[in-house]
């Protein structure tokens, strides 16, 4: 395994992060525990979860994923071997069964206390804001809609104050963003620069893959100049970059098959790009999945690459990507495809 550090901290984390979004829906508890056992044995010490998980979110499955992780901590005693990240859900339709009060002081405290209880731990190493409260472009929206109704009042100072107090109490160690824009990222960073008692955002968890490299447009410069590390999610584009959906008959238990509305990476242009990437990988004796993950691993702004799997075979292949070195020829081939079909699945 290769390791990095959460920026501006001494916390050493694996460059491969174990994602948990399917546990409790596509994976049962035994399978989740098997994944954690194997990942830890392979040197993966960084796990990411959220109160929203499993996804697609359902009221009756609220925060089941955190409960499965907490049961594993209790069973194995491995809490001290894991750097643990979780998230508070932002407001909106996907989280209406959780709360409708956004990132108010009470909401953040409630979310942290709930996660701690379910995870059966006294602290969370990295606590993230799952998506912004304000109206902005994330989850596949290409551009900012200046005419959208937005009742958000700038409460970033208050959010950071609440997080500061939770850090002081020892309930969380560090904080991060997710699904955030360049404006939002800089707004949080500047607030903590001007008011130095407020905590600094350490990481940003955004999508990044061969099919969606929009992080490079504005956020990569912020990430590198400000040292706020990318935790890349969906590096395989909901499994599309494994190539398994290129067959005439899609795999029966796969995510996009089970949940057809998860089609962000499955449009015609994305499929065309995926076919080209698959041909490039085959030409160089690589699996498409490992080439796609290894590409993400090479990025200078990456802190950790969040992989997810529903089978042990997938998990092993994904973790082994850390040992795949891409030749200059492969990297040049990737750039050629990207120039021809840029960001087909934003």
């Amino acid at each position: 395994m290769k390791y990095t550090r959460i920026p501006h901290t001494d916390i050493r984390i694996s460059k491969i992060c174990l994602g948990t979004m399917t546990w409790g829906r596509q994976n049962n508890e035994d399978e989740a525990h098997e994944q954690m056992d194997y990942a830890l044995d392979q040197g993966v010490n960084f796990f990411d979860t959220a109160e929203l998980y499993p996804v697609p979110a359902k009221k009756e499955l609220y925060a089941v994923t955190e409960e499965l992780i907490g049961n594993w901590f209790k069973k194995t005693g491995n809490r001290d071997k894991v750097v643990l990240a979780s998230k508070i859900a932002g407001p909106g339709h996907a989280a209406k069964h959780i709360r409708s009060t956004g990132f108010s002081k009470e909401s953040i405290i409630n979310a942290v206390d709930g996660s701690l209880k379910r995870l059966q731990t006294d602290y969370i190493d990295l606590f993230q804001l799952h998506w912004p409260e304000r109206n902005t472009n994330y989850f596949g929206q290409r551009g900012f809609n200046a005419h959208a109704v937005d009742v958000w009042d700038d409460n970033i100072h208050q959010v950071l104050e609440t997080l500061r107090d939770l850090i002081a109490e020892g309930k969380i160690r560090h904080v991060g963003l997710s699904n955030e824009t360049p404006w939002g990222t800089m707004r949080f960073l500047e607030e903590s620069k001007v008011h130095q008692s407020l905590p600094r955002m350490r990481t940003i968890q955004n999508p990044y893959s061969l099919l969606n490299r929009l992080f490079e447009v504005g956020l990569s410069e912020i990430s590198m100049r400000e040292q706020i590390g990318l935790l890349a999610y969906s590096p395989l584009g909901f499994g599309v970059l494994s190539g398994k959906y290129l067959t005439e008959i899609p795999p029966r238990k796969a995510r996009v098959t089970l949940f057809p509305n998860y089609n962000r990476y499955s449009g015609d242009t994305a499929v065309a790009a995926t076919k080209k990437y698959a041909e490039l990988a085959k030409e160089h004796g690589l699996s498409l999945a490992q080439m796609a993950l290894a590409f993400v691993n090479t990025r200078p702004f990456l802190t950790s690459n969040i992989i997810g799997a529903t089978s042990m075979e997938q998990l092993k292949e994904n973790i082994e990507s850390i040992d795949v070195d891409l030749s200059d020829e492969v990297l040049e081939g990737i750039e050629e495809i990207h120039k021809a079909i840029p960001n087909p699945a934003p």
Side-chain angles (χ1 to χ4, degrees):
M1 184 50 58
K2 296 175 183 176
Y3 297 88
T4 60
R5 293 187 188 276
I6 295 177
H8 300 278
T9 79
D10 60 357
I11 299 177
R12 183 171 176 263
I13 59 171
S14 50
K15 202 167 185 178
I16 297 291
C17 173
L18 181 62
T20 64
M21 187 174 69
T22 62
W23 300 353
R25 187 140 191 186
Q26 289 177 262
N27 293 103
N28 62 31
E29 183 161 13
D30 288 342
E31 291 168 339
H33 288 194
E34 184 182 15
Q35 286 196 29
M36 287 184 276
D37 289 338
Y38 180 81
L40 194 62
D41 284 345
Q42 299 304 307
V44 175
N45 74 337
F46 187 28
F47 296 0
D48 177 74
T49 191
E51 66 170 344
L52 187 74
Y53 297 168
V55 172
K58 293 175 67 176
K59 182 177 181 180
E60 55 268 34
L61 293 177
Y62 168 57
V64 165
T65 303
E66 288 188 327
E67 293 175 358
L68 302 187
I69 296 170
N71 292 342
W72 183 78
F73 284 148
K74 183 179 180 180
K75 180 178 77 172
T76 63
N78 282 337
R79 175 65 185 94
D80 63 342
K81 298 178 182 178
V82 171
V83 178
L84 179 63
S86 193
K87 314 178 197 72
I88 176 177
H93 180 76
K96 64 182 181 181
H97 60 287
I98 302 176
R99 69 183 71 82
S100 59
T101 48
F103 298 149
S104 68
K105 179 177 181 178
E106 294 75 16
S107 295
I108 295 173
I109 293 171
N110 171 269
V112 169
D113 287 343
S115 289
L116 290 173
K117 182 177 180 180
R118 290 185 294 268
L119 291 162
Q120 301 188 53
T121 184
D122 296 327
Y123 67 98
I124 295 168
D125 295 285
L126 180 67
F127 190 70
Q128 305 154 99
L129 308 180
H130 206 157
W131 60 83
E133 286 182 281
R134 65 190 190 279
N135 237 328
T136 189
N137 48 315
Y138 56 89
F139 289 154
Q141 182 178 325
R142 284 182 180 270
F144 175 66
N145 183 359
H147 303 292
V149 176
D150 193 352
V151 296
W152 176 72
D153 291 323
D154 190 331
N155 62 344
I156 287 174
H157 187 96
Q158 289 75 22
V159 168
L160 289 172
E161 281 186 329
T162 304
L163 294 171
R164 175 198 63 197
D165 294 345
L166 288 165
I167 291 171
E169 291 178 48
K171 292 183 176 181
I172 59 178
R173 297 179 69 189
H174 298 284
V175 291
L177 299 167
S178 184
N179 295 298
E180 191 50 275
T181 66
W183 182 88
T185 303
M186 286 305 300
R187 180 71 186 81
F188 273 99
L189 291 174
E190 289 302 312
E191 193 69 28
S192 60
K193 285 181 183 179
V194 173
H195 305 280
Q196 295 186 12
S197 67
L198 298 179
R200 189 185 197 282
M201 291 297 177
R202 309 295 192 193
T203 56
I204 177 169
Q205 183 176 149
N206 275 31
Y208 185 80
S209 70
L210 289 175
L211 299 178
N212 179 3
R213 293 170 58 176
L214 287 181
F215 190 87
E216 297 175 5
V217 175
L219 279 165
S220 61
E221 182 179 10
I222 294 172
S223 175
M224 296 173 73
R225 292 190 187 277
E226 300 291 335
Q227 293 187 319
I228 177 169
L230 172 64
L231 308 180
Y233 80 78
S234 290
L236 290 180
F238 294 159
V240 169
L241 285 166
S242 70
K244 61 187 176 184
Y245 297 108
L246 295 178
T247 58
E248 289 186 12
I249 302 174
R252 187 167 58 88
K253 294 184 178 180
R255 187 165 192 80
V256 177
T257 308
L258 292 172
F259 312 113
N261 59 315
Y262 277 66
N263 57 7
R264 194 182 316 167
Y265 299 93
S266 304
D268 292 344
T269 308
V271 170
T274 300
K275 288 179 179 178
K276 289 185 177 295
Y277 287 122
E279 291 167 2
L280 178 67
K282 183 177 180 180
E283 182 184 336
H284 292 274
L286 299 167
S287 80
L288 174 56
Q290 289 200 334
M291 185 185 81
L293 292 171
F295 171 76
V296 175
N297 295 340
T298 66
R299 301 299 89 185
F301 42 78
L302 182 79
T303 290
S304 195
N305 188 358
I306 304 175
I307 55 109
T310 53
S311 72
M312 289 303 297
E313 182 182 4
Q314 291 170 349
L315 182 66
K316 292 172 183 177
E317 181 180 25
N318 291 352
I319 291 175
E320 288 170 0
S321 71
I322 197 65
D323 296 318
V324 175
D325 293 320
L326 300 181
S327 67
D328 289 342
E329 191 176 0
V330 171
L331 291 171
E332 289 167 5
I334 287 173
E335 291 306 314
E336 288 177 10
I337 296 169
H338 177 61
K339 288 176 184 177
I341 313 176
N343 300 313

